[in-house]
């Protein structure tokens, strides 16, 4: 008997046609004017700012001096010792917050001897509204002990000696040397760091780089008050958010590519 072989050819109706892929639309080129503007904006943000000239630096600080001839630090203190303690307490805290806590403290303990007599527990009670107050109270007592044991109860007058005290770093030493002893030091806090970088006056990746850069470019006649002018400028004008470029004394000299004037 003959073997019946069925056809393997599928019927047309049983074959599903594969979906056709849509051709990707070609990106529409930006209008030349828009593309040019975008490229210019990118270049403006990434381009390295031109360094300030000596004449521009002098002009900037001359304006600061004219607007505020005798700038003062905002930390309240009675003598070099209370200034040292106030600066140590100001780490990660506002000057206003430190002042509020130290007014009563310094009224009864304005020397290392009196601070030791008060004791760590009571110091802690006075400064408990300040951040990290437990560790700071410990440092205040420890630095007071060291001042008495090694420096005759007096604040030393060299950076290395001040930095050797518990809780005191380079910034603390620079503030004390400048404000208590009239040294031409540059204390770099967050405000000075921001101003130095944003304006292009002394760009740097670390506070020390900014410090050394500022010391290099600022004329000697301005150095006594320079760090106060820069701190106040950063605190009240060159703000971290929403800088007030419209009232900035040096907006025409500033190298910041995003300034609003």
């Amino acid at each position: 008997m003959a073997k019946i072989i069925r056809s393997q050819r599928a019927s047309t109706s049983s074959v599903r046609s594969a979906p056709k892929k849509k051709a990707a639309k070609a990106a529409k080129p930006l209008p030349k004017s828009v593309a040019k503007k975008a490229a210019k904006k990118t270049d403006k943000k990434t381009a390295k700012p031109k360094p300030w000239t000596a004449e521009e630096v002098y002009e900037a600080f001359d304006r600061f001096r004219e607007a505020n001839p005798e700038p003062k630090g905002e930390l309240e203190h009675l003598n070099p010792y209370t200034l040292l303690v106030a600066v140590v307490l100001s780490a990660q805290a506002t000057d206003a917050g430190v002042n509020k806590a130290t007014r009563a403290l310094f009224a009864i303990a304005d020397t290392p001897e009196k601070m030791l007599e008060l004791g760590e527990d009571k110091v802690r009670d006075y400064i408990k509204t300040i951040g990290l107050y437990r560790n700071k109270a410990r440092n205040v007592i420890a630095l007071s002990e060291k001042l008495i044991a090694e420096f005759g109860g007096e604040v030393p007058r060299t950076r290395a000696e001040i930095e050797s005290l518990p809780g005191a770093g380079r910034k603390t030493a620079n503030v004390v040397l400048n404000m208590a002893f009239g040294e031409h030091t540059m204390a770099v806090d967050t405000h000075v760091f921001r101003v130095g970088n944003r304006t292009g006056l002394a760009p740097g990746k670390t506070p020390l780089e900014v410090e050394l850069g500022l010391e290099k470019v600022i004329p000697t006649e301005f150095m006594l008050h320079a760090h106060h002018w820069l701190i106040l400028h950063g605190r009240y004008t060159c703000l971290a958010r929403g800088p007030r470029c419209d009232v900035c004394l040096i907006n025409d000299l500033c190298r910041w590519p995003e300034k609003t004037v």
Side-chain angles (χ1 to χ4, degrees), residues 2-232:
K3 193 173 181 181
I4 299 173
I5 300 174
R6 295 190 177 187
S7 172
Q8 299 296 315
R9 190 170 48 187
S11 64
T12 307
S13 61
S14 65
V15 178
R16 292 182 181 179
S17 57
K20 292 182 180 180
K21 290 183 179 179
K22 290 184 180 180
K25 287 186 179 181
K28 205 171 183 180
L30 289 170
K32 286 184 179 180
S33 59
V34 176
K36 191 174 180 181
K37 190 175 180 181
K40 200 170 183 181
K41 191 174 182 182
T42 302
D43 290 344
K44 195 176 180 183
K45 285 186 177 182
T46 58
K48 193 174 180 179
K50 183 181 177 183
W52 288 48
T53 65
E55 292 76 14
E56 289 173 325
V57 176
Y58 189 95
E59 176 64 23
F61 283 91
D62 194 42
R63 293 179 192 178
F64 286 140
R65 178 170 60 185
E66 186 177 348
N68 187 2
E70 295 289 335
K72 302 295 181 185
E74 297 186 334
L75 281 175
E76 297 174 6
H77 60 281
L78 306 173
N79 52 40
Y81 171 72
T82 53
L83 173 63
L84 170 64
V85 171
V87 179
V88 167
L89 295 179
S90 71
Q92 298 181 51
T94 65
D95 287 0
V98 172
N99 291 339
K100 188 176 180 181
T102 57
R103 283 179 195 131
L105 174 63
F106 292 160
I108 61 169
D110 59 352
T111 67
E113 294 81 5
K114 291 177 183 177
M115 196 68 76
L116 287 183
E117 188 178 337
L118 190 61
E120 185 179 330
D121 290 344
K122 288 185 179 178
V123 171
R124 191 165 56 234
D125 288 340
Y126 276 102
I127 66 169
K128 62 186 177 183
T129 55
I130 302 174
L132 307 175
Y133 71 95
R134 293 180 186 277
N135 190 51
K136 288 178 179 179
R138 196 175 306 118
N139 283 335
V140 168
I141 293 299
L143 72 81
S144 298
E145 289 175 337
K146 187 164 184 175
L147 286 175
I148 294 169
E150 299 182 22
F151 302 105
E154 300 292 329
V155 176
R157 300 187 63 152
T158 70
R159 182 185 285 121
E161 288 173 325
I162 295 174
E163 285 188 66
S164 74
L165 299 171
R170 187 179 181 91
K171 188 192 83 171
T172 298
N174 284 338
V175 172
V176 173
L177 289 172
N178 178 269
M179 293 180 64
F181 305 123
E183 299 286 342
H184 288 186
T185 53
M186 175 57 62
V188 177
D189 66 352
T190 55
H191 300 298
V192 177
F193 186 77
R194 179 173 64 255
V195 172
N197 276 288
R198 181 182 279 169
T199 63
L201 184 61
K205 294 180 181 178
T206 66
L208 181 58
E209 284 183 14
V210 173
E211 176 189 331
L212 298 179
L214 289 169
E215 288 181 346
K216 186 178 178 181
V217 300
I218 299 173
T220 303
E221 69 179 275
F222 298 114
M223 276 300 296
L224 180 61
H225 297 308
H227 98 268
H228 282 132
W229 283 319
L230 293 174
I231 287 172
L232 295 172

